[in-house]
Amino acid sequence: MTFTTRFAPSPTGPLHLGHAYSALLAHDTARSKGGRFLLRIDDLDQSRARPHWEQQIYDDLTWLGIKWNGAVRRQSDHFPDYAETLETLRAAGLTFECKCTRRDIDNAASAPQEGVPEFGPDGRIYPGTCRERNLSRDDATCTRLNMVKASQSTSAHFTETGPAFTGTHVLSSRDLQTTIGDVVLARRNMAASYHLSVVLDDVATGVTHVIRGEDLFEATRIHVLLQNLLDLPTPSYHHHSLIRDDAGKRLAKRDDARAIAKYRADGATPADIRAMVGL
Ligand code: GLU
């Protein structure tokens, strides 16, 4: 299979040095392997996605010397596909409808138990309140994966080549239940969660290697579980270290000071950016 990787930014703010590193690393790796480098626009959250940020992504990447293969995939063009897969998971009895607000979840979880983590990749681990309630979709605000059922008899595993977590990672049912829990798969106003959409996008575009930041490592277990449940192939993963600011804090979207566009305006060259991120 042709080595295929991708860069998948959300058009919700300017790309900064951390994005430049991620994009250049994925791009250079694909080129060195004679493979494909794809660009995807993760504009799932339509309330935050903006056309001018999308345009800025194209401009910044082009300026950096990055060429992507084939057409750009935009998540907003695929909402019906996500909905269809959600139906498959519903029909398999692996989901439940939930109407808990964030406050409900905080309150239900307000007595932390010793040795049980409070937070997972999606924030506070869902306490299971609606799992047995059998709510109808009309009463619910989101659809969650029933992790108790979904994690049963899983044999899912993945290979990681990034610096912090190199090795083979096997998903255990207990870990999935205690450290991840019933994650959201879709919301009333959003066709799919990040987890469901990226799993489907990666398989639809033939991604064989996911190269992305270390901050997404924990979410990978959710993605690999979903691939397993949906009988989809699992790519290899490489979670790279994050570019941090001088205080050691990871860069955020609002870190406009480190936006690629800002460096460009200040006269930096693409080679300067490569040097700044250590490539
Ligand atoms: N869109 C995600 C982000 O900007 C990345 C998706 C992924 O690499 O899986 O953080």
Side-chain angles (χ1 to χ4, degrees), residues 25-264:
L25 184 67
H27 169 266
D28 293 1
T29 309
R31 293 293 167 253
S32 74
K33 308 237 181 231
R36 296 193 306 150
F37 170 80
L38 310 178
L39 175 61
R40 187 173 81 218
I41 299 294
D42 279 4
D43 60 351
L44 191 65
D45 184 352
Q46 289 281 289
S47 70
R48 292 172 60 227
R50 295 287 178 272
H52 68 275
W53 291 130
E54 184 175 329
Q55 188 55 50
Q56 183 85 56
I57 291 170
Y58 303 137
D59 294 349
D60 285 345
L61 294 182
T62 303
W63 177 78
L64 280 170
I66 291 179
K67 287 197 182 77
W68 49 93
N69 294 101
V72 172
R73 178 181 170 100
R74 297 162 86 231
Q75 291 189 319
S76 54
D77 292 333
H78 298 278
F79 290 164
D81 305 335
Y82 307 146
E84 198 182 311
T85 303
L86 185 63
E87 279 314 315
T88 306
L89 292 169
R90 274 203 183 104
L94 294 171
T95 65
F96 63 90
E97 306 304 316
C98 170
K99 64 171 184 179
C100 292
T101 60
R102 183 169 297 199
R103 176 174 299 172
D104 293 336
I105 296 173
D106 286 347
N107 289 344
S110 62
Q113 289 166 265
E114 213 181 315
V116 178
E118 275 183 83
F119 294 92
D122 277 358
R124 199 180 276 286
I125 295 170
Y126 184 66
T129 322
C130 289
R131 199 187 297 133
E132 307 300 334
R133 274 185 174 162
N134 241 329
L135 293 178
S136 79
R137 276 149 80 171
D138 289 341
D139 292 331
T141 50
C142 72
T143 306
R144 290 180 182 274
L145 185 67
N146 183 331
M147 192 56 95
V148 175
K149 286 193 186 160
S151 66
Q152 269 166 22
S153 72
T154 177
S155 60
H157 60 276
F158 64 99
T159 309
E160 164 70 24
T161 57
F165 309 98
T166 295
T168 300
H169 296 262
V170 179
L171 271 50
S172 98
S173 158
R174 197 190 126 74
D175 262 12
L176 289 166
Q177 287 176 34
T178 56
T179 65
I180 292 180
D182 306 319
V183 286
V184 172
L185 294 179
R187 293 189 189 280
R188 191 178 274 174
N189 57 358
M190 221 190 276
S193 66
Y194 155 68
H195 306 301
L196 184 58
S197 60
V198 298
V199 162
L200 298 177
D201 295 329
D202 284 339
V203 77
T205 50
V207 168
T208 59
H209 288 73
V210 171
I211 298 174
R212 61 185 178 194
E214 230 160 65
D215 51 330
L216 290 171
F217 179 76
E218 286 303 319
T220 299
R221 291 187 292 149
I222 305 170
H223 304 169
V224 173
L225 177 67
L226 288 172
Q227 289 150 6
N228 206 255
L229 292 171
L230 294 164
D231 238 340
L232 301 172
T234 290
S236 301
Y237 287 88
H238 181 102
H239 292 86
H240 59 72
S241 27
L242 302 178
I243 303 289
R244 299 183 181 272
D245 65 14
D246 299 335
K249 231 174 91 254
R250 60 176 273 220
L251 302 182
K253 272 269 158 64
R254 51 198 174 281
D255 230 327
D256 288 3
R258 296 211 167 44
I260 299 171
K262 174 83 170 42
Y263 287 105
R264 280 172 70 180

